[in-house]
Amino acid sequence: MADYPLIENHGLIGDLQTAALVTTDGTIDWFCCPRFDSPSVFGALLDWEKGGHFTVTPADATYTTKQLYLPDTAILVTRFMTEAGAGEVVDFMPVTGASATDRHRLVRMLRCVRGSMTFQVDIAPRFDYGRKPHTLHITANGAVFASDDLELTLSVVREPDDERVVHHVTGGHDLRVCVALEAGQQRGLVMESAAHGPPREINGAEFQELFQDTRQYWRSWLHQSRYSGRWREMVERSAVTLKLMTYAPSGALVAAPTAGLPEQLGGERNWDYRFTWIRDASFSVYALLGLGFTQEAKAFIGWLSDRVKEKAGRDTETGPLNIMYRVDGSSGLREETLDHWEGYQGSAPVRIGNGAAAQLQLDIYGEALDSISFAHQHGIHLDIRGWASLRTLLDWLVDHWDQAGEGLWETRGGRRHFTYGRVMSWVAFDRALRLAVEHGRPADSGRWAAERDNIYEQVLAKGWDPDRGAFVQHFGSDVLDSSLLRMPTVGFITPDDPMWTSTLDAMDRELVTDSLVYRYNPEASPDGLRGSEGTFSLCTFMYVDALARAGRTDQARLVLEKMMTYANHLGLYSEEIALTGRQLGNFPQAFTHLALIDAAVTLDATLNRAQAGGG
């Protein structure tokens, strides 16, 4: 088995329609084109031999590397040090804009900053997850890699009379390029999809303009942030990461730009996250508005409103809303396995598509309504047609909230009456009632209020285990579930209520290990899948938020500071943390970065109030 890089040994670049992962040794081992959810072109992350890669390393076999983002940007710098000199690869993707396009550019600037360095560039695409062959055509200014439905054009950056670029074919349809530089010199490569023309010579001035424009875009965008709290660097890096995972033409946020990365090495918990979950993206409204990114929040509310208008009248077993969609709002997410790929470190099966799209998860209605209500408080309003569709959606929920479902964690072990699903159904009715009153809009208020109150009573009667002194995962069980950390956040219970503080204490004892938090115990509550998993990073940040709201500020701050030590060298998080401290699961995960922002904002506010009171 190949020596795969650690999941955390990657940085992310993107152009707001797709993205690429770059390892600490200069390899692009994941890139899908032309969209996040398109088939991969470079997929060595999931099969080192068959997946394809775009590698830039020193020709000298002995080197060390360092990696960082250019401050306040999504421009990634990978630095190489050898006995002969020091060089850099500066990776970025020029931002495409808000119109969907098949044209995307991977820009790789090669610099020598000390001494001399010869860069060796190996380009080995594998189209359609390695299922389609391709041809290679070499020209004086670059090369064209072409499959039957996608072309990648490689153009070389050089100066007049530059003779120091050497290229030759390796392995039949792959290419090796060697670039020899002295201190102060800069050259590079631009790989472009849908270029509509042959490779061309790019001069240094044009190359530098691409860099300057991209840097200015990210700095101007991040300048909108209103956050000035204690964890500014981590919060702003999370904001940039979330922006990188946003599909600009629709405003939709993917859960992660990757597929198939395992929650347990060698296990089967390997899912495709390149889609937009109603739940995850709804949380983004809080994080984005909390930082001042109103346009991004407005774009997502528009996307969500379109889904509500489109599906409100649909009457199916799984409800009017799907739990997830493709980034353009379509719903074709059929799950299949790539049996020809071995998976990350042998973690098979590699799945694309997502069968959980057909699940019934009642919590999504509360999350959708909560985000719409929160956006309304910030001046982002639902139009008349949107309100009419929302009423239809609520009418469906009136008749269906008292059902078993698969739940927040998308278990595959059968439907249950999950307490979190009930709590969020309560939120749906509560927020709808508030919106109706504030707008003076027509509503079946009496019925909505009755169902809201029925849910409340049911959660207290069936979701509370008096022997455990805690709210439990689903009715009839005594299993704890960290999803319930959101109960005080959404206002179902006050953070100082004895029933809540008792629940938090029970979670402290059972789900928390050295400040890291498990979702639940799969041995106590089988989820239909073999194996185990690491602590869930999202849940750890939710725990920080819950501790802060409960007034346990010292503990909350320690947990947050500890959790930040588990970020990778760039401040990025995947889904989970293994016992060894390794990151597991799809990377980077939007849900985790959203929760980081929420936790930091909540804890900052709590600490500020405490200091003001103490003064």
Side-chain angles (χ1 to χ4, degrees):
M1 187 182 300
D3 187 16
Y4 285 81
L6 296 176
I7 291 172
E8 61 262 35
N9 282 356
H10 289 86
L12 181 71
I13 60 173
D15 65 3
L16 310 186
Q17 293 190 27
T18 187
L21 293 186
V22 186
T23 68
T24 52
D25 66 354
T27 298
I28 294 177
D29 60 4
W30 186 255
F31 174 61
C32 298
C33 190
R35 297 192 325 198
F36 291 107
D37 54 357
S38 299
S40 66
V41 174
F42 302 122
L45 183 61
L46 297 180
D47 193 303
W48 190 254
E49 299 296 330
K50 302 174 185 176
H53 61 92
F54 185 171
T55 300
V56 178
T57 58
D60 188 331
T62 304
Y63 59 85
T64 59
T65 70
K66 303 289 182 181
Q67 198 174 56
L68 73 155
Y69 279 112
L70 198 67
D72 299 338
T73 76
I75 297 173
L76 187 66
V77 182
T78 306
R79 304 177 66 225
F80 298 104
M81 280 73 72
T82 70
E83 291 292 336
E88 296 178 344
V89 181
V90 181
D91 287 314
F92 62 92
M93 296 182 68
V95 175
T96 54
S99 298
T101 178
D102 289 340
R103 186 191 183 208
H104 303 279
R105 289 171 289 177
L106 287 170
V107 179
R108 313 205 73 179
M109 300 178 72
L110 312 181
R111 294 172 172 171
C112 182
V113 295
R114 294 177 62 190
S116 63
M117 180 168 290
T118 297
F119 291 94
Q120 179 175 296
V121 182
D122 289 304
I123 307 169
R126 298 293 182 265
F127 293 85
D128 188 27
Y129 308 109
R131 296 181 295 193
K132 289 184 177 179
H134 71 273
T135 59
L136 170 62
H137 176 64
I138 297 177
T139 73
N141 295 317
V144 177
F145 303 86
S147 71
D148 60 1
D149 60 355
L150 181 65
E151 284 189 358
L152 295 178
T153 300
L154 183 76
S155 296
V156 177
V157 179
R158 56 186 172 193
E159 298 297 338
D161 303 322
D162 195 340
E163 301 293 338
R164 309 198 72 183
V165 175
V166 180
H167 56 238
H168 61 273
V169 177
T170 60
H173 300 295
D174 303 332
L175 182 68
R176 173 168 291 174
V177 176
C178 295
V179 182
L181 300 176
E182 301 292 334
Q185 289 186 317
Q186 174 177 289
R187 301 293 185 269
L189 304 164
V190 177
M191 177 166 280
E192 184 173 0
S193 64
H196 304 300
R200 63 189 182 87
E201 182 176 299
I202 299 174
N203 61 44
E206 180 183 351
F207 200 45
Q208 192 66 23
E209 185 178 1
L210 281 177
F211 171 78
Q212 297 289 357
D213 288 349
T214 304
R215 181 174 65 176
Q216 183 58 35
Y217 171 85
W218 285 106
R219 288 183 172 176
S220 296
W221 180 81
L222 192 58
H223 184 69
Q224 300 172 70
S225 173
R226 294 197 303 257
Y227 182 81
S228 58
R230 296 164 177 82
W231 298 281
R232 181 174 177 178
E233 183 175 354
M234 291 293 287
V235 166
E236 292 190 343
R237 180 50 53 194
S238 289
V240 170
T241 303
L242 293 170
K243 182 68 170 175
L244 281 169
M245 291 190 279
T246 301
Y247 183 66
S250 68
L253 177 76
V254 295
T258 57
L261 289 175
E263 297 175 18
Q264 180 185 32
L265 294 177
E268 65 172 337
R269 299 167 184 261
N270 318 314
W271 314 110
D272 190 345
Y273 274 21
R274 298 170 299 157
F275 311 116
T276 300
W277 269 251
I278 292 289
R279 175 188 309 111
D280 299 29
S282 294
F283 278 75
S284 72
V285 174
Y286 289 93
L288 294 169
L289 288 176
L291 300 182
F293 295 109
T294 304
Q295 289 305 310
E296 283 71 19
K298 186 175 182 180
F300 171 69
I301 288 295
W303 180 90
L304 178 60
S305 298
D306 288 342
R307 304 290 78 73
V308 171
K309 294 172 185 176
E310 173 185 271
K311 303 294 186 181
R314 189 182 70 164
D315 187 12
T316 68
E317 182 186 359
T318 55
L321 286 179
N322 296 340
I323 70 167
M324 70 180 88
Y325 298 86
R326 291 191 176 275
V327 290
D328 62 359
S330 61
S331 53
L333 281 81
R334 184 177 66 88
E335 186 173 297
E336 59 179 301
T337 60
L338 301 179
D339 295 327
H340 63 292
W341 275 6
E342 70 173 9
Y344 178 82
Q345 292 195 352
S347 301
V350 175
R351 295 183 177 92
I352 56 173
N354 200 308
Q359 290 185 351
L360 174 64
Q361 297 181 20
L362 292 165
D363 61 278
I364 64 172
Y365 299 97
E367 284 135 3
L369 265 293
D370 201 25
S371 64
I372 290 171
S373 175
F374 189 72
H376 168 74
Q377 297 169 28
H378 288 76
I380 302 172
H381 303 305
L382 202 63
D383 61 27
I384 290 175
R385 183 169 166 242
W387 178 254
S389 298
L390 207 61
R391 289 176 64 193
T392 304
L393 187 150
L394 267 293
D395 289 341
W396 178 90
L397 192 61
V398 162
D399 296 326
H400 294 86
W401 65 262
D402 195 8
Q403 292 187 60
E406 279 84 5
L408 167 72
W409 306 128
E410 297 170 6
T411 59
R412 301 194 178 192
R415 292 182 175 180
R416 297 188 176 97
H417 293 276
F418 286 98
T419 304
Y420 181 76
R422 292 293 195 273
V423 169
M424 295 311 295
S425 293
W426 175 91
V427 170
F429 289 118
D430 179 76
R431 302 309 191 262
L433 287 164
R434 293 172 189 264
L435 284 168
V437 170
E438 291 175 16
H439 279 288
R441 295 277 173 87
D444 194 352
S445 300
R447 196 176 181 202
W448 292 356
E451 297 305 324
R452 178 195 62 183
D453 296 346
N454 287 339
I455 297 170
Y456 187 86
E457 298 296 343
Q458 189 183 89
V459 169
L460 294 184
K462 297 182 178 181
W464 171 260
D465 185 330
D467 295 329
R468 295 296 308 271
F471 289 100
V472 292
Q473 183 184 66
H474 58 86
F475 298 171
S477 78
D478 63 356
V479 176
L480 301 180
D481 192 311
S482 60
S483 64
L484 297 176
L485 287 165
R486 284 188 51 80
M487 290 179 74
T489 304
V490 299
F492 186 89
I493 193 169
T494 60
D496 58 352
D497 189 291
M499 292 178 74
W500 173 247
T501 56
S502 176
T503 299
L504 193 54
D505 288 340
M507 290 185 184
D508 284 339
R509 295 189 296 269
E510 190 166 310
L511 296 181
V512 181
T513 172
D514 190 32
S515 298
L516 300 174
V517 181
Y518 289 99
R519 293 190 292 182
Y520 57 91
N521 181 357
E523 293 182 3
S525 180
D527 55 15
L529 297 165
R530 296 187 302 273
S532 60
E533 59 182 25
T535 56
F536 214 67
S537 299
L538 154 73
C539 298
T540 302
F541 288 118
M542 286 168 51
Y543 180 54
V544 172
D545 190 281
L547 289 170
R549 291 176 188 275
R552 303 181 185 181
T553 51
D554 288 344
Q555 185 183 1
R557 187 166 189 174
L558 179 60
V559 172
L560 182 60
E561 295 286 359
K562 278 188 174 183
M563 185 57 187
M564 286 184 173
T565 69
Y566 289 98
N568 82 342
H569 57 290
L570 299 169
L572 306 183
Y573 291 90
S574 65
E575 290 178 83
E576 300 182 8
I577 306 295
L579 189 61
T580 60
R582 284 187 61 171
Q583 296 201 23
L584 295 173
N586 284 306
F587 174 92
Q589 191 202 29
F591 220 163
T592 296
H593 286 278
L594 291 166
L596 183 157
I597 292 170
D598 286 343
V601 170
T602 298
L603 184 53
D604 263 318
T606 304
L607 291 168
N608 290 343
R609 286 194 299 270
Q611 288 179 356

